[in-house]
Amino acid sequence: MKIGFIGAGNMASAIVEGIVQKGFSNPEDIYLYDISTEKVQAFAEKVGAHALNDPQEVIKTVDTLILAVKPNVIKGVLLEAKDAILQNDPLIVSIAAGTSTEAIYDVFETDQPIRIVRVMPNMNAMVGEGAAAVCGNASATKEDLATIIDLFNAVGKAWPLEEKYFSIFTAIAGSSPAYTFLFIDSIARAAVKNGLPKDIALEMATQAVLGSAETLAHSKENPWTLIDRVSSPGGTTVAGIVELEDNAFISTVIKGIDATIRKDEELGKK
């Protein structure tokens, strides 16, 4: 299978490196286009892929076309690529946030079936620990979805998800890395407040959160059971959790997720 990318920024680069390293695709079967020609040429040489100067040539060459562009430019990219896509019929994969499969199809103004798969990845794909939701339109086959899920499993984990839930996924996986970074920084700042140097405090906080995520991922128990394991009666952890809950820690996190969902739904309507 030949895979093409229109847009070769950080996310696309992470995907390419992941699928090559995991053996999902041979580098010579990957074709890249980006307006930053020097940058994409250097990256293509690094991984052994092809850098093309014309997006139309990418579309004519590949079986699967990944649109790795920002939501504010995807319509223009599709309009420019419209004729080549209709003629060559590649599987269209979009990672543009807030852009539905219906909105993508409507750009073509045609009755011709077009296989479209929408993916919501997150930035952790850049370290091979991404989380991605995958859905397809009515024309996309089960085989199409399975292929794209396998592709994104190469840079983390991917799940099939009904498109109506994508705003929720955006909040709990797409945007939540930012909340996690904020949490880690807050832990480190508390340590600095109490006299620990910031660099070592940040390193320690990061490792603690990383280890906690791994522990939960490999456990069959729920988070509260693990919390109880850390919490001794009358101990330090209990004191901290009580203070967090006195300041509405859980409900504040939920409100942040709710706000993210509302914003994503608003952007989708626009």
Side-chain angles (χ1 to χ4, degrees), residues 118 135 161-169 261 264-265:
R118 179 183 174 190
C135 74
L161 189 69
E162 291 182 53
E163 192 164 17
K164 65 182 180 180
Y165 297 125
F166 263 51
S167 289
I168 300 173
F169 185 84
I261 293 170
D264 189 74
E265 289 174 342

Side-chain angles (χ1 to χ4, degrees), residues 38-256:
E38 291 184 6
K39 182 179 178 180
V40 71
Q41 184 65 48
F43 177 69
E45 291 177 3
K46 173 186 172 184
V47 297
H50 305 277
L52 302 183
N53 295 323
D54 184 354
Q56 310 290 331
E57 288 302 312
V58 175
I59 297 165
K60 292 175 183 177
T61 305
V62 302
D63 309 297
T64 297
L65 179 68
I66 298 179
L67 303 173
V69 297
K70 300 292 185 183
N72 62 318
V73 301
I74 188 169
K75 183 176 181 179
V77 169
L78 287 169
L79 287 171
E80 183 179 347
K82 177 179 177 179
D83 291 341
I85 289 173
L86 290 174
Q87 182 177 351
N88 294 278
D89 191 32
L91 172 63
I92 305 298
V93 180
S94 168
I95 64 171
T99 308
S100 68
T101 54
E102 182 181 5
I104 292 170
Y105 182 75
D106 286 346
V107 174
F108 293 95
E109 298 180 323
T110 181
D111 294 329
Q112 178 179 325
I114 300 174
R115 295 173 298 141
I116 301 171
V117 173
R118 179 183 174 190
V119 182
M120 181 65 217
N122 75 0
M123 69 176 298
N124 296 332
M126 291 187 285
V127 293
E129 293 292 346
V134 180
C135 74
N137 69 349
S139 298
T141 66
K142 290 182 180 179
E143 290 75 17
D144 291 332
L145 289 176
T147 296
I148 301 308
I149 288 171
D150 286 345
L151 188 156
F152 279 87
N153 276 333
V155 287
K157 291 186 178 181
W159 300 268
L161 189 69
E162 291 182 53
E163 192 164 17
K164 65 182 180 180
Y165 297 125
F166 263 51
S167 289
I168 300 173
F169 185 84
T170 296
I172 66 171
S175 299
S176 66
Y179 312 149
T180 306
F181 300 148
L182 179 62
F183 177 61
I184 292 171
D185 189 71
S186 298
I187 294 173
R189 287 179 185 277
V192 173
K193 174 178 176 288
N194 285 278
L196 199 64
K198 181 64 182 290
D199 56 347
I200 189 64
L202 186 57
E203 185 177 339
M204 291 174 173
T206 301
Q207 180 59 34
V209 172
L210 177 64
S212 300
E214 284 290 330
T215 298
L216 182 59
H218 291 89
S219 174
K220 294 181 179 179
E221 297 176 317
N222 66 62
W224 275 109
T225 301
L226 297 178
I227 289 170
D228 288 342
R229 285 192 180 184
V230 183
S231 304
S232 301
T236 56
T237 304
V238 171
I241 287 177
V242 169
E243 186 68 24
L244 288 171
E245 268 310 287
D246 280 347
N247 289 277
F249 180 78
I250 293 175
S251 62
T252 300
V253 171
I254 292 172
K255 287 177 182 178

Side-chain angles (χ1 to χ4, degrees), residues 8-26:
N10 291 334
M11 184 62 72
S13 299
I15 295 168
V16 170
E17 290 181 338
I19 62 178
V20 169
Q21 289 171 5
K22 294 289 182 69
F24 179 88
S25 180
N26 296 318

